[in-house]
Amino acid sequence: MQATAYTYDPESRSGQVLLDDGTPVPFDAAAFDAGGLRLLRPGQRVRIETEETEAGAGAGTVSGAGAGRRITLVTLQTF
């Protein structure tokens, strides 16, 4: 799935991406580390991977159409 980097905190290595429908979705340090990146700038196009979570999932989950999913990887989009 593709998204756009929205926020990134280098100290916590976490932030948010915007899905193509404009929905902000948080990611944690584990998802950032899984992508092998060192820095992420707002506006960069990224590829994310998600996994299903248990019902009632909290922070770091996709809501709306992707409810019950958590971002597991954030990396740069390559064509």
Side-chain angles (χ1 to χ4, degrees):
M1 177 183 300
Q2 296 180 21
T4 302
Y6 182 51
T7 64
Y8 174 68
D9 176 17
E11 288 185 25
S12 67
R13 297 183 331 278
S14 62
Q16 289 184 321
V17 297
L18 291 176
L19 300 181
D20 289 341
D21 68 1
T23 305
V25 182
F27 61 88
D28 58 19
F32 182 78
D33 293 343
L37 299 176
R38 296 187 326 185
L39 180 66
L40 191 59
R41 291 186 305 264
Q44 282 184 299
R45 203 61 183 150
V46 295
R47 181 175 64 85
I48 60 172
E49 292 182 7
T50 62
E51 70 179 6
E52 290 188 34
T53 62
E54 296 179 22
T61 60
V62 177
S63 59
R69 301 192 71 78
R70 179 180 73 86
I71 294 177
T72 59
L73 177 130
V74 178
T75 193
L76 293 181
Q77 176 64 38
T78 56
F79 296 96

